[in-house]
Amino acid sequence: MRHPSRATALAGAATVLALALSACTGSAGSGDARGAGATQGRNPDPALVDSTSVPELGQCRNLRPEDVALPANATAAVDCTEEHTAQTYAVGTLPDKLHDAAYDSDELGAWAYKTCSKGLMAFLGADESSVMRTIVTWSWFRPSEAAWDEGARWYRCDVIGGGGEGVDYRPLPKTAEGLLMGLPPDEWMVCADGPAVAGSPKVPCSEEHTWRAVTTIKVGEPGDDYPGDRVVEVTSRDFCSDSVAAWLGYPLEYDFGFTWFKEAEWQVGNRRSVCWARTSS
C-alpha cells in the first residue's frame, strides 16, 4: 500500500543550446554556418573537405566540442581500436522535400533531430527514456556550404561519448553499438553532484554523486501544440513526484528534481522531461 509522503521538489529548466537533451538536438546541425568559412573541424582530412559524397558509415573520430559546434565536419577518421570520442552511426541523403531548404533552416534541423534521435536509439539498443538519462549524446553534420552549393545533400549522425548534460567528452568503446542494451552501465548514465540538480556538475553515475536521473515522463504527444512553460513545468513536477516516489519504494520523505524543456526543444520534437532522485547509489 502506498503511504503519504513528504516530497521536496527542485526544478531546473533546460535549453537546447546547453545540450541538456541526452538525445541531443545536435548543435552542429542547428547552428548558424555563416562565417564558418573553410573551417570543418580540427585535423581535417583533405579528401573530406567540401566533399559531395555521402560519408562512410561506422567511422570513428576524435571530436571535441569546438568540432561539434560547426555545421560541417571533415575531421580525419581514426581506427576504431584507437581512442576516439565519436562514431558515425547513420548516413544518407536528405529527402527531396529538403533539397531546396536553406542551409541553416529550422526545417532541416527538425528533420535531423527526428532522424538522428531515432537512429541513436536503435544503434545503442535503448528507448527514448534511457537515452535521455545517459551522458551519451549525438551530433549531426551536413555538407560544407561549398559542397551544398554544388548540390550535395547528405547527412551524417555521430554518437558522442559525453556532452549530454554537460559531461566532458569521454572515449567510446571500439563500437558503441548496443552500448545501452539491458541494464546500462553506470559509467554511461548521468548523475549530478551537488545540493540541487540545477547548477550542479553532471557526472557519470559511476562517480560520486547526490542525484541520479531515474525516469522520464511524457508531457505531450507528437502532434500537440506547445502548452506553455508553466503547464510543462507543473506537469513535469507532478509526474516526477509520483515517478521518483515509486522508484525509491515510496519512502515517507524524499527529495526529487525535474528537468523540463522549453518551446525550442518542443518544436524539434522533444516531449519528455527528466526526473531525478536524491540518492548516492
Side-chain angles (χ1 to χ4, degrees), residues 59-134:
Q59 287 190 322
C60 296
R61 292 178 171 83
N62 273 308
L63 298 185
R64 300 303 304 159
E66 56 266 34
D67 304 315
V68 172
L70 300 170
N73 177 260
T75 296
V78 299
D79 193 292
C80 292
T81 60
E82 300 177 12
E83 185 172 300
H84 59 280
T85 60
Q87 182 179 2
T88 300
Y89 65 89
V91 298
T93 303
L94 297 173
D96 290 345
K97 66 179 182 179
L98 292 175
H99 281 202
D100 293 328
Y103 186 75
D104 54 1
S105 69
D106 291 341
E107 183 184 13
L108 183 58
W111 180 87
Y113 175 86
K114 294 176 182 177
T115 301
C116 292
S117 294
K118 183 177 180 180
L120 184 67
M121 287 186 281
F123 184 71
L124 296 178
D127 59 17
E128 185 178 20
S129 178
S130 294
V131 170
M132 289 188 72
R133 294 182 288 111
T134 181

Side-chain angles (χ1 to χ4, degrees), residues 115-160:
T115 301
C116 292
S117 294
K118 183 177 180 180
L120 184 67
M121 287 186 281
F123 184 71
L124 296 178
D127 59 17
E128 185 178 20
S129 178
S130 294
V131 170
M132 289 188 72
R133 294 182 288 111
T134 181
I135 64 169
V136 179
T137 187
W138 62 264
S139 185
W140 82 280
F141 301 98
R142 74 202 88 182
S144 67
E145 288 192 79
W148 186 274
D149 290 342
E150 291 182 22
R153 292 295 184 271
W154 54 258
Y155 69 91
R156 179 182 119 207
C157 305
D158 288 3
V159 58
I160 310 290

Side-chain angles (χ1 to χ4, degrees), residues 2-3 8 13 19 76 99 123 127 145 152 154 182 217 231 233 235:
R2 179 177 175 182
H3 300 282
T8 302
L19 290 180
H99 281 202
F123 184 71
D127 59 17
E145 288 192 79
W154 54 258
I217 61 99
V231 171
E233 181 181 10
T235 301

